[in-house]
Amino acid sequence: MRRGLRIVPLALLLTGIVEVAVFVLLGRWIGFGWAVLLVLAASLLGLALLRREGMRAWRGLRAAVEAGRPPGSEVSDGLVGLLAGLLLAIPGLVTGVVGLLLTVPLLRRLVRGQVQRVAERRVSAEVAGDLFGPRRVRVRRGQPRPEARPEPADTAPPPAAPGGAIEGEIVEPRRP
């Protein structure tokens, strides 16, 4: 099992405990009936948001593909929107608040950027280029990091560029 997946059951258990505690506290503060209505309203809002975001993501993906441009930003934005709707649709106040926060444009852009970075790290450079388009990279010449393997002694490193950084695109040869 992947290391990150090991914490999922614990995170779900803690989320459930926090949701129940918040519901009980809110029920004591505003009344049980109002707390139930608030949870139901958030869930209905989440279901509507799921439908809207799903259709929006599909239209964005199709438009990007038809225009011949990389669909990565539409896909990652759609994923964030669907996550917001899913968190709202799940009965609970804490997940509902997190889902509402993901609908705020500034936070949505930040999370979308994180989703893109995670996706770029998990797929090959070729797939990332197809999804997100050409990427800018910085190539630095200098001392290798301690975890990097040293170059063989018989090969000399190439001379450093005068500007210190080279902008380019990572291109992997296609396999037959």
Side-chain angles (χ1 to χ4, degrees):
M1 184 183 285
R2 286 189 168 172
R3 189 176 70 218
L5 292 178
R6 290 182 186 158
I7 64 168
V8 170
L10 179 62
L12 289 174
L13 178 67
L14 288 175
T15 302
I17 291 170
V18 168
E19 289 287 1
V20 169
V22 168
F23 181 77
V24 167
L25 290 174
L26 187 69
R28 286 185 178 173
W29 187 47
I30 66 171
F32 178 75
W34 288 110
V36 169
L37 283 175
L38 188 62
V39 169
L40 287 175
S43 293
L44 289 175
L45 177 66
L47 291 174
L49 188 64
L50 269 174
R51 183 173 187 266
R52 188 191 84 173
E53 289 297 325
M55 294 304 292
R56 184 171 162 246
W58 179 250
R59 281 193 304 268
L61 176 66
R62 286 192 57 174
V65 169
E66 288 172 1
R69 57 187 163 83
S73 62
E74 285 84 3
V75 170
S76 58
D77 189 50
L79 285 174
V80 173
L82 289 172
L83 178 63
L86 181 65
L87 287 173
L88 271 167
I90 294 172
L93 298 169
V94 176
T95 55
V97 168
V98 173
L100 275 177
L101 287 175
L102 286 178
T103 62
V104 175
L106 176 64
L107 292 175
R108 189 172 181 145
R109 267 185 301 224
L110 291 172
V111 173
R112 182 180 64 208
Q114 291 295 324
V115 167
Q116 282 183 332
R117 281 188 279 285
V118 167
E120 286 176 344
R121 280 196 305 261
R122 296 204 179 250
V123 298
S124 69
E126 183 177 341
V127 173
D130 289 343
L131 271 178
F132 302 109
R135 296 174 291 156
R136 290 181 172 215
V137 296
R138 288 185 94 78
V139 179
R140 298 179 189 201
R141 306 274 186 218
Q143 297 296 327
R145 295 184 196 164
E147 66 268 7
R149 284 191 262 155
E151 294 182 13
D154 59 335
T155 62
I166 302 170
E167 290 187 6
E169 181 178 343
I170 298 174
V171 179
E172 289 185 347
R174 295 195 185 268
R175 295 188 178 106

